[in-house]
């Protein structure tokens, strides 16, 4: 059966961690640089994410996300480097463009924050099976509706990509030209929009019917195939991240004093 999630099935340290450990990592990795306020803490969070990505063997899946984020980061650098209202000190010029130190430093902080959040969420998304995350949330007392919403968020992009590829193959078999210059690709893309949207609506309706048949709205207490709890490795991982979070708070207080 074709997978419709971003999860990478690897037997690694990360995939064996409880999903709550990785959720705590996201919160800590984002909060540490924001609390500490220094560029070195952004670098620390990024290094931690890269180490976890290497340990989880998901580096190849991260590269497209990083490439996409650099497009956004480059735009931020251009806007703030040129037009930030606090710009005063000229750093360098590129033809008619004048880049200022204040705007570039501000853009650097935004760019590091974007990259940090992207990598932290990638650690969770690429190493956690959506069904396992939903089970963990429901076992912790969250509503099944909330779990279904989370699962849908994880699956919507891969599902739509799979649907689009299927429809694209069908259009090719009917003789539609889908490869060539940008105009040819644009003409091929337009006929895909309607079938993809209609297919998504049909899938949503069928899924709603299937959930009702299986007692999604039942008020009876549900049982689970696996009773997942935090293990020793999870507790040590959370304690390590909590220590870093506490250290960043102490650093901030020390700077204030």
């Amino acid at each position: 059966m074709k997978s419709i999630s971003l999860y990478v099935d690897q037997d690694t340290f990360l995939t064996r961690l409880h999903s709550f450990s990785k959720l705590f990592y996201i919160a800590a990795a984002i909060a540490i640089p924001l609390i500490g306020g220094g560029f070195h803490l952004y670098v620390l969070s990024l290094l931690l994410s890269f180490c976890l990505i290497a340990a989880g063997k998901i580096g190849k899946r991260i590269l497209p996300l990083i490439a996409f984020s650099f497009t956004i980061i480059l735009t931020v650098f251009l806007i703030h480097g040129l037009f930030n209202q606090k710009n005063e000190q000229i750093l360098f010029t590129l033809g008619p463009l004048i880049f200022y130190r204040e705007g570039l430093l501000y853009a650097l902080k935004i760019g590091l924050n974007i990259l940090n959040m992207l990598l932290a969420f990638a650690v969770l998304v690429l190493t956690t099976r959506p069904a396992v995350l939903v089970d963990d949330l429901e076992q912790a007392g969250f509503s099944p509706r909330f779990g279904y919403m989370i699962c849908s968020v994880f699956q919507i992009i891969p599902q739509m990509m799979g649907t689009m590829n299927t429809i694209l193959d069908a259009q090719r078999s009917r003789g539609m030209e889908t490869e060539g210059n940008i105009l040819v690709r644009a003409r091929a893309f337009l006929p895909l929009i309607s079938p993809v949207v209609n297919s998504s609506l049909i899938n949503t309706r069928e899924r709603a019917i299937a959930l009702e048949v299986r007692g999604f709205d039942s008020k009876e207490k549900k049982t689970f195939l696996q009773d997942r709890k935090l293990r020793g490795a999870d507790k040590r991982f959370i304690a390590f991240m909590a220590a870093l979070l506490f250290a960043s708070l102490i650093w901030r207080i020390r700077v204030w004093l």
Side-chain angles (χ1 to χ4, degrees):
M1 183 177 177
K2 188 176 180 179
S3 174
I4 56 172
S5 75
L6 299 173
Y7 170 72
V8 180
D9 192 4
Q10 301 270 14
D11 185 19
T12 63
F13 163 74
L14 269 184
T15 55
R16 290 191 294 269
L17 277 181
H18 196 280
S19 57
F20 284 1
S21 301
K22 286 174 270 192
L23 287 171
F24 185 82
Y25 171 74
I26 292 174
I30 295 174
I32 285 172
L34 294 179
I35 292 174
F39 284 104
H40 61 286
L41 293 178
Y42 282 102
V43 175
L44 174 62
S45 294
L46 289 173
L47 286 176
L48 283 173
S49 293
F50 279 119
C51 289
L52 290 176
I53 287 167
K57 300 178 182 179
I58 53 176
K60 291 183 179 179
R61 299 292 295 272
I62 291 292
L63 293 178
L65 298 176
I66 295 177
F68 175 75
S69 70
F70 272 115
T71 305
I72 302 174
I73 293 172
L74 179 60
T75 304
V76 172
F77 269 87
L78 287 173
I79 293 173
H80 287 282
L82 295 171
F83 306 115
N84 191 290
Q85 61 181 356
K86 295 183 179 179
N87 284 344
E88 293 181 358
Q89 183 179 349
I90 297 176
L91 191 62
F92 66 91
T93 59
L94 190 63
L97 303 178
I98 303 175
F99 289 88
Y100 294 85
R101 180 177 180 273
E102 293 81 6
L104 289 176
L105 286 176
Y106 184 74
L108 178 61
K109 182 174 287 188
I110 294 177
L112 290 174
N113 201 18
I114 292 173
L115 192 58
N116 180 40
M117 289 190 290
L118 180 67
L119 295 181
F121 275 98
V123 168
L124 170 70
V125 173
L126 296 177
T127 63
T128 307
R129 203 182 295 272
V132 172
L133 176 60
V134 171
D135 282 349
D136 290 342
L137 290 172
E138 291 187 15
Q139 288 182 34
F142 286 88
S143 168
R145 294 180 182 273
F146 179 75
Y148 175 70
M149 180 184 68
I150 296 296
C151 188
S152 298
V153 169
F154 276 103
Q155 293 182 348
I156 187 170
I157 294 177
Q159 188 176 37
M160 292 191 71
M161 289 175 61
T163 302
M164 182 171 287
N165 289 333
T166 301
I167 295 172
L168 190 61
D169 289 339
Q171 300 284 30
R172 283 174 182 157
S173 67
R174 295 182 176 93
M176 175 178 285
E177 189 176 1
T178 60
E179 297 181 357
N181 58 40
I182 189 169
L183 293 177
V184 173
R185 293 176 181 270
R187 284 197 300 267
F189 177 75
L190 292 176
L192 295 177
I193 297 176
S194 178
V196 169
V197 172
N198 289 335
S199 178
S200 299
L201 294 175
I202 293 171
N203 288 337
T204 300
R205 181 175 179 275
E206 291 179 348
R207 189 178 301 169
I209 294 173
L211 289 173
E212 289 297 329
V213 170
R214 294 171 183 174
F216 182 75
D217 287 331
S218 175
K219 304 301 180 183
E220 298 294 327
K221 184 177 180 180
K222 298 181 180 179
T223 59
F224 299 91
L225 185 61
Q226 293 181 338
D227 186 16
R228 289 169 50 85
K229 296 181 179 179
L230 294 175
R231 300 176 301 160
D234 296 295
K235 294 176 181 178
R236 289 190 294 270
F237 182 78
I238 292 175
F240 173 71
M241 294 307 303
L244 290 179
L245 191 60
F246 182 72
S248 68
L249 181 60
I250 296 298
W251 172 272
R252 187 70 176 200
I253 294 174
R254 177 175 168 271
V255 171
W256 282 342
L257 296 178

